[in-house]
Amino acid sequence: MVSDFRNFIYQDDTLYDGIAIDVGGPGFQFNDGFDVETCEAIRARLAPGGRIVMNVLVDNDIDPTPDRIAARLAGDSLRAWIVDEQGIQDRNAIIACLPEKQLNARPAFYDVVNNSPERWSIRRGRLRSCDLACGSRNG
């Protein structure tokens, strides 16, 4: 399916318990596609207690893209977690924005992560929405 997801999110007024995002394609710029306004519109579509999960492409270990998007999606109301496979160039990472202060994943999830031949890790997002606001004002 090819369309601009932003048209849908801005025109939709339905509240969702969960939103899963997996977009991209040749030349797609995640940082531009998920600017502050778009992420606020996505978060506004969540029902109380709702969650957002997103697949994002990561260039390398110092790529700030997943942390920026996670902070934008989480805003002040959600907590951001990133499931990543560090050390791999041009990889996928998963952003999870949840209302809980702790990531209480099921034991089966941790078994998959810990017993996989890949080197998956789970970490908190490194930025908060206030970090982005201050950073945009200061340069």
Side-chain angles (χ1 to χ4, degrees), residues 17-80:
D17 293 329
I19 298 174
I21 303 166
D22 188 12
V23 298
F28 184 80
Q29 298 293 315
F30 280 89
N31 202 41
D32 297 338
F34 291 90
D35 57 19
V36 172
E37 294 80 16
T38 301
C39 291
E40 287 173 353
I42 292 168
R43 193 173 53 256
R45 301 282 51 91
L46 284 180
R51 292 145 169 71
I52 302 169
V53 179
M54 178 179 173
N55 181 42
V56 64
L57 295 179
V58 182
D59 290 335
N60 53 53
D61 288 345
I62 61 172
D63 184 351
T65 302
D67 291 286
R68 283 186 187 138
I69 294 173
R72 292 171 186 165
L73 285 171
D76 294 331
S77 59
L78 301 173
R79 305 292 191 281

Side-chain angles (χ1 to χ4, degrees), residues 43 51-54 65-83 94-103 122-129 132:
R43 193 173 53 256
R51 292 145 169 71
I52 302 169
V53 179
M54 178 179 173
T65 302
D67 291 286
R68 283 186 187 138
I69 294 173
R72 292 171 186 165
L73 285 171
D76 294 331
S77 59
L78 301 173
R79 305 292 191 281
W81 297 89
I82 298 173
V83 181
I94 303 298
I95 297 169
C97 297
L98 316 169
E100 295 87 6
K101 291 184 180 183
Q102 297 294 323
L103 182 63
I122 302 170
R123 64 175 176 81
R124 291 291 308 261
R126 294 184 181 117
L127 300 173
R128 296 179 316 216
S129 62
L132 296 174

